[in-house]
Amino acid sequence: MLKNTIIVLFIIVSILACRSGGDKSGILELDESEILEGDLEISKETIDDIIQSVSSPVEMAALVKGLGVDYSNKYLAPTDKADELSDRFSQALNLGIFAADLGYLNMYNKTSSVIEYISAIKTLADEIRVGQFFDFNTLKRLAQNYQNLDSLMYLSLRSFNEMDQYLRDNNRSGESALIITGVWIEGLYLATQVANDSPNHPELAERIGEQKIILEKLVLIIDNYKKNKQFAGLLEDLNEINSYFKDIEIKYIPGEPVSKINERGELEITQNEQSVVEISDEQLKDIIAIAKKIRDKIIKV
Amino acid sequence: MKTIIKIISVLLFFFSSTLYSQDLTQLVAQCAANSGNVTYLKDFVVKLDAGTPGGAPPTARFAMILSKNAMYRFSICTAPTSDGDAVLQLMDMNRLLGSTFIQATGKEFPYFDFKCQKTGVYHVFISFKEGKAGEGVGILSLVKKF
């Protein structure tokens, strides 16, 4: 009887050992109190809801590409010092920055640089113990094979989403908030730099102005963790950006949605309610400057 | 013997949870691939129990920010083991903007496209027809910016 029990226990231990094989750090548990202090002022559900709602790392890049703007590597954050980022706070924030850059590279099919950014993301993800979501070898293989660009984009984004979900499911919403803040700041930086270099895109100015909606939500989340010094610093930075957004007006024109079945038999819905952003050249100029200042501060090792 | 049964139960639990997550990962990949020539953005994985007779069907809710001048595709896929068929609805506050199932005609769509004209927070609701139990995946993709 005892012998059988020992055998079965041995099997269980072996299986559990295999199951944790994907996590190279060997430690999945993290105590959020390491980087967070104090009680949350808004519920965890609300925080998770906001984090989940924030746009994907590729959306701003898709907008820029949609405008016909050429690719430029000058908009990317350098990855060479990724392994010098020594604290969990900077690692999470910069992971978001690199994820947005990876979205930009993927959008323009710049596979030669993709590997460098996947590698930097993997380094930081390992540091904050979520590296198990990035299958570096598969991503690298896809990046080297020009026929699998859609798969590369899908796997990159899916890995990012899985990591984010894992953090939120494991009471690590603070790190998740940092990552999406990094994604957002890099997206804002990309859009504002493109607006600076190619000022003939009024639509881009409108999309930049709309970032006010997301920024207000990020401020709300980061404010919850402000008892931590690093979070308080980030909150100050976000509030500084916010001070340039506060006078931008967003108006809404009412309208009813219209549905139709197109020639391919697909259901298409057009929203007729519209948002209209009023942003002056002066406001845009200020936002371009503040976005650069804060983003450069974050990527500085 | 009882001890061994308990241990085997624990083993089966670990195996089944592993298989469960693998199946859903595959379902997400398959659903994203079936969405057509679009850019995957997010997925919404749901597992819902059956509702009570006469009650509202259990529903999962997900928030997202959509941007003006973008066309998004909302796809829905039901796991083969589900009792019911998954339905995805897009809501703006309390207003229904689109659904993969049109109640009035009984017509079902694997996805629908949404031309967004207003940047803001929207919600996806996923439920199963007649409040049945099921597992499913919703996918948000970007069709194009316009």
Side-chain angles (χ1 to χ4, degrees):
Chain A
M1 177 69 192
L2 182 65
K3 194 179 163 190
N4 284 344
T5 308
I6 290 169
I7 291 170
V8 176
L9 278 173
F10 175 76
I11 294 169
I12 287 179
V13 169
S14 306
I15 287 170
L16 289 177
C18 290
R19 281 168 57 84
S20 64
D23 173 35
K24 291 186 174 59
S25 69
I27 306 162
L28 283 170
E29 304 303 323
L30 272 179
D31 183 0
E32 195 163 48
S33 64
E34 277 185 295
I35 56 164
L36 309 177
E37 293 169 18
D39 295 325
L40 300 177
E41 286 167 18
I42 55 174
S43 72
K44 186 185 174 302
E45 286 72 25
T46 307
I47 292 176
D48 288 353
D49 217 31
I50 295 173
I51 292 172
Q52 182 195 264
S53 72
V54 175
S55 311
S56 157
V58 295
E59 281 213 62
M60 200 56 97
L63 166 66
V64 167
K65 194 185 175 196
L67 292 172
V69 175
D70 289 339
Y71 166 84
S72 171
N73 61 7
K74 72 176 182 179
Y75 302 133
L76 301 170
T79 58
D80 54 334
K81 290 183 177 163
D83 53 358
E84 289 175 33
L85 294 162
S86 55
D87 62 282
R88 191 86 60 85
F89 183 91
S90 312
Q91 287 161 349
L93 208 47
N94 278 273
L95 196 158
I97 298 266
F98 292 145
D101 286 345
L102 180 62
Y104 179 66
L105 288 164
N106 271 328
M107 199 45 79
Y108 280 86
N109 295 338
K110 297 292 173 189
T111 49
S112 52
S113 304
V114 159
I115 296 169
E116 180 190 329
Y117 279 80
I118 292 171
S119 179
I121 288 171
K122 174 75 174 150
T123 301
L124 296 180
D126 280 342
E127 289 292 334
I128 60 171
R129 294 168 188 173
V130 285
Q132 68 271 26
F133 295 104
F134 292 91
D135 181 351
F136 181 70
N137 290 330
T138 303
L139 287 165
K140 190 176 167 186
R141 185 169 46 76
L142 290 172
Q144 286 167 338
N145 184 344
Y146 285 87
Q147 289 175 332
N148 288 326
L149 298 178
D150 287 347
S151 305
L152 175 64
M153 172 82 95
Y154 169 74
L155 198 60
S156 308
L157 288 169
R158 173 82 177 132
S159 305
F160 180 84
N161 290 344
E162 279 189 308
M163 173 195 66
D164 179 56
Q165 184 71 50
Y166 172 83
L167 287 172
R168 285 185 281 124
D169 288 348
N170 288 275
N171 293 321
R172 294 171 64 187
S173 299
E175 285 155 288
S176 184
L178 289 174
I179 293 169
I180 61 138
T181 302
V183 167
W184 180 80
I185 286 175
E186 188 68 348
L188 180 69
Y189 174 79
L190 169 65
T192 50
Q193 286 303 301
V194 170
N196 193 42
D197 295 345
S198 329
N200 50 339
H201 295 295
E203 194 208 325
L204 187 55
E206 197 182 5
R207 295 290 85 74
I208 291 168
E210 286 169 356
Q211 297 306 306
K212 176 181 181 171
I213 298 168
I214 302 175
L215 177 58
E216 282 169 357
K217 292 183 182 304
L218 290 177
V219 168
L220 196 67
I221 303 175
I222 299 300
D223 184 73
N224 268 269
Y225 304 106
K226 67 183 175 212
K227 286 181 185 168
N228 174 285
K229 250 178 152 177
Q230 287 175 300
F231 273 90
L234 179 61
L235 181 63
E236 224 170 86
D237 292 339
L238 291 179
N239 277 329
E240 191 179 350
I241 301 176
N242 208 10
S243 67
Y244 294 100
F245 274 94
K246 71 176 186 341
D247 293 329
I248 292 172
E249 273 199 66
I250 303 177
K251 291 180 176 166
Y252 297 95
I253 302 167
E256 291 299 318
V258 174
S259 303
K260 71 164 188 180
I261 309 284
N262 66 21
E263 63 281 5
R264 293 183 298 279
E266 298 163 338
L267 176 60
E268 235 178 65
I269 297 148
T270 302
Q271 183 181 37
N272 286 314
E273 185 179 4
Q274 283 186 45
S275 56
V276 180
V277 176
E278 288 177 4
I279 177 169
S280 67
D281 290 347
E282 199 57 38
Q283 285 170 323
L284 182 62
K285 205 176 134 198
D286 287 342
I287 291 170
I288 291 169
I290 189 67
K292 178 167 169 45
K293 180 186 154 189
I294 302 299
R295 183 268 197 174
D296 287 351
K297 182 178 166 186
I298 290 170
I299 65 167
K300 196 175 163 192
V301 177
Chain B
M1 190 60 193
K2 270 185 182 172
T3 315
I4 293 175
I5 290 170
K6 276 183 192 167
I7 292 168
I8 288 170
S9 301
V10 171
L11 266 176
L12 285 173
F13 170 76
F14 278 112
F15 270 127
S16 63
S17 65
T18 305
L19 288 173
Y20 170 75
S21 84
Q22 275 176 355
D23 285 350
L24 281 177
T25 301
Q26 280 172 7
L27 187 64
V28 172
Q30 192 188 332
C31 200
N34 292 345
S35 296
N37 188 21
V38 292
T39 304
Y40 158 91
L41 296 177
K42 289 182 185 205
D43 56 78
F44 314 106
V45 176
V46 295
K47 186 186 182 197
L48 296 172
D49 293 329
T52 51
T59 304
R61 186 187 68 101
F62 303 90
M64 77 209 68
I65 291 173
L66 301 181
S67 298
K68 184 181 174 179
N69 290 1
M71 185 188 267
Y72 296 97
R73 179 164 292 175
F74 291 88
S75 313
I76 189 73
C77 295
T78 307
T81 51
S82 296
D83 295 337
D85 291 326
V87 176
L88 182 151
Q89 295 179 312
L90 175 66
M91 305 285 289
D92 177 13
M93 304 290 278
N94 293 322
R95 177 193 284 188
L96 177 66
L97 294 173
S99 174
T100 55
F101 174 61
I102 312 297
Q103 186 94 40
T105 59
K107 183 122 176 90
E108 277 185 86
F109 297 89
Y111 56 78
F112 63 82
D113 291 341
F114 176 66
K115 278 175 95 170
C116 183
Q117 304 268 36
K118 184 186 82 172
T119 298
V121 180
Y122 296 80
H123 288 93
V124 155
F125 286 80
I126 298 176
S127 59
F128 290 86
K129 276 200 231 166
E130 296 154 19
K132 288 182 179 170
E135 291 166 22
V137 171
I139 303 276
L140 168 64
S141 313
L142 179 68
V143 182
K144 61 178 177 183
K145 296 275 184 182
F146 60 89

